[in-house]
Amino acid sequence: MKRILVIYTGGTIGMVKDKKTGALLPFDMSKIYEALPVLREFNCKLDSFRFDPIIDSSNMKPDYWIGLASVIETNYDKYDSFIVLHGTDTMSYTASALSFMLENLAKPVILTGSQLPLGMIRTDGRENIIGAVEIASNENLSIPEVCIFFEDRLYRGNRTTKINAEYFEAFYSGNFPSLAKVGINITYKPHLFLQKPTQAFKAYKKLDDNVILIKLFPGIKESYFRTILSMEGLKGVVLETYGSGNAPTEEWFIEALTEAIEKGIIIYNVTQCKAGSVAMGHYETSAHLAEIGIISGHDITTESAIAKLMFLLGNFTDKSQIIEMLNSPLRGELSI
Ligand code: ASP
C-alpha cells in the first residue's frame, strides 16, 4: 500500500462552504477522507500536512518554497509520493522551483488545485484530487518528477504555464508533451519521464531572489530599462523577448544590456511566445544579444527561468558553472 503525504498550502481548492453562513472557509485537510470518501477505494494511505500559514498562491514567495522543500525532505523516507494542494495562480512557479530544489528525486511530487472550491457542486477539485491520488498510488510505476496534474493531464511541472482563469483546462505545456492523459484509462508515457536517479536525494534550501523579469514591449523607454537594470543588488534578469528571442537593435538598448553584463548581471533570454524556442542569431534582431553575452533560455518557460536563476544564484558561486547550467537542462526544463 502506497503512503502519500498530502501537503495543503492553500488556494481555491481548499475552500468549503460553511453550512451555517454559506461563506467559503478553508477546509480541514485532515478530514480529506470525509470530504472525498471515494479516496478510500485506492490502495493507499493518505496523511495530511497543513502549510502554516495557508495562503492564496498570489502570496507565494521563495521562503515558502524553502518551507515546502523542507517538508518533503523531512518526510522523504516515510512516504512513497507527495501531493501538493496549491492555488493555481502561481502553481507553475512553485512546481518549477521545487523541481530544481529537489535533486535526485525518485518519487512523484504532484501539484494540483482547482478553479472552483472543493465545497462547490461543480468543483473541478474533486476530479483533480482523485486523479492525483490515483497516479500517486500507482503500484507499477513511480514518476520521479515534480508534476502538475490538472483537468485530464499530468504535466512536467517546470514546463507549464497557467493560461486560463475561467475554464478548467487551466495549464498548458507548449514545449513538452504531457506525461499522462486521463480518459477512461490513464495513459502513461513512461518514455518521457525523467530517468530514475542513481544518487541520493538532496533538497537545496537556498534561493537568491535578486532576480527580476523584464518583458519587452514596443515603446519600452530607455530610462525605464536603465533604471531597472541599475537596481541595487541585482544579479539576474529574465528578459522576455519577442518570437525566437528577438529584441530592438537600438544602440541604447544594447549599451544598457552590455553595461549590466559587465557589472556581472546574468541576462537570460526567454521568449514571450507560449511555444517555441529562443534561437539567437536566427534573425539579425537577436544576433547582437548573443554577441554581448546574453544566455539563451532555449524553450524554457518564464516561470521556470525565474526559479532556475534563483536556484542557481542561491547555491552556486562560480559564474561559468552557472552559465553552463542555464544553458543545459537540469530537470528536463528545456530541450536542446
Ligand atoms: N487565487 C487563487 C490561488 O492561486 C486561485 C486558485 O487557487 O485557483 O491561490
Side-chain angles (χ1 to χ4, degrees):
M1 181 182 276
K2 293 255 175 164
R3 291 153 308 164
I4 302 173
L5 183 64
V6 179
I7 305 169
Y8 171 46
T9 67
T12 298
I13 191 159
M15 297 290 169
V16 281
K17 242 188 210 159
D18 182 278
K19 284 197 182 104
K20 281 184 208 130
T21 62
L24 286 172
L25 298 171
F27 169 64
D28 178 0
M29 274 300 158
S30 63
K31 301 202 174 110
I32 192 161
Y33 282 119
E34 273 171 49
L36 293 172
V38 67
L39 292 176
R40 291 187 205 280
E41 312 266 323
F42 292 113
N43 189 25
C44 68
K45 161 99 177 59
L46 298 178
D47 288 330
S48 65
F49 179 93
R50 188 180 188 273
F51 217 54
D52 188 19
I54 56 162
I55 53 162
D56 182 292
S57 81
S58 314
N59 284 317
M60 189 45 79
K61 50 186 172 188
D63 280 352
Y64 294 148
W65 289 338
I66 294 169
L68 253 178
S70 305
V71 173
I72 294 172
E73 181 187 39
T74 311
N75 291 285
Y76 193 74
D77 294 331
K78 278 194 261 164
Y79 292 94
D80 301 300
S81 320
F82 298 85
I83 292 178
V84 180
L85 301 179
H86 194 288
T88 56
D89 289 345
T90 59
M91 193 186 289
S92 294
Y93 290 90
T94 299
S96 301
L98 284 179
S99 75
F100 297 117
M101 296 166 85
L102 307 177
E103 189 178 68
N104 298 324
L105 182 69
K107 306 179 176 191
V109 173
I110 304 175
L111 283 83
T112 194
S114 66
Q115 297 281 57
L116 275 177
L118 198 55
M120 289 182 74
I121 294 172
R122 279 197 304 105
T123 183
D124 52 331
R126 189 176 179 280
E127 302 309 317
N128 286 346
I129 294 185
I130 292 171
V133 171
E134 183 162 356
I135 292 167
S137 58
N138 188 313
E139 305 264 333
N140 305 315
L141 99 185
S142 167
I143 305 163
E145 301 205 22
V146 178
C147 313
I148 286 183
F149 178 72
F150 217 87
E151 178 68 353
D152 61 351
R153 276 162 213 263
L154 183 75
Y155 303 97
R156 173 167 299 157
N158 61 27
R159 290 294 195 146
T160 61
T161 300
K162 181 176 176 183
I163 47 136
N164 209 312
E166 166 74 22
Y167 294 108
F168 291 158
E169 213 178 309
F171 289 88
Y172 180 66
S173 172
N175 286 326
F176 197 75
S178 57
L179 302 174
K181 187 159 166 36
V182 175
I184 291 176
N185 297 300
I186 301 184
T187 311
Y188 292 95
K189 303 174 203 164
H191 61 286
L192 297 175
F193 300 171
L194 289 176
Q195 295 281 316
K196 268 241 152 71
T198 50
Q199 281 166 347
F201 169 73
K202 172 176 177 180
Y204 287 84
K205 283 166 291 175
K206 279 197 208 141
L207 294 165
D208 189 331
D209 59 4
N210 286 300
V211 166
I212 53 160
L213 167 66
I214 306 180
K215 179 172 184 149
L216 294 184
F217 56 91
I220 189 165
K221 277 200 166 30
E222 177 175 355
S223 55
Y224 161 80
F225 197 63
R226 283 191 184 275
T227 306
I228 306 183
L229 288 179
S230 62
M231 235 178 68
E232 187 74 37
L234 183 63
K235 292 190 190 153
V237 176
V238 174
L239 185 67
E240 260 199 16
T241 55
Y242 308 122
S244 51
N246 307 315
T249 48
E250 280 173 277
E251 216 169 288
W252 67 261
F253 180 79
I254 306 300
E255 214 176 78
L257 287 172
T258 309
E259 282 166 23
I261 292 167
E262 279 166 1
K263 275 200 286 179
I265 297 170
I266 291 174
I267 318 267
Y268 203 25
N269 184 359
V270 307
T271 174
Q272 294 180 10
C273 296
K274 293 289 166 251
S277 180
V278 163
M280 289 194 287
H282 191 54
Y283 287 94
E284 189 229 327
T285 45
S286 66
H288 53 291
L289 300 180
E291 279 156 24
I292 61 170
I294 288 184
I295 300 149
S296 173
H298 304 274
D299 61 352
I300 198 169
T301 61
T302 296
E303 292 86 336
S304 199
I306 290 171
K308 189 172 181 181
L309 262 180
M310 286 187 181
F311 165 71
L312 292 178
L313 291 167
N315 294 287
F316 300 87
T317 44
D318 179 353
K319 185 112 175 278
S320 54
Q321 195 190 1
I322 294 178
I323 291 175
E324 201 185 305
M325 289 193 275
L326 284 171
N327 256 311
S328 25
L330 299 182
R331 314 279 189 261
E333 74 282 7
L334 56 86
S335 349
I336 26 176

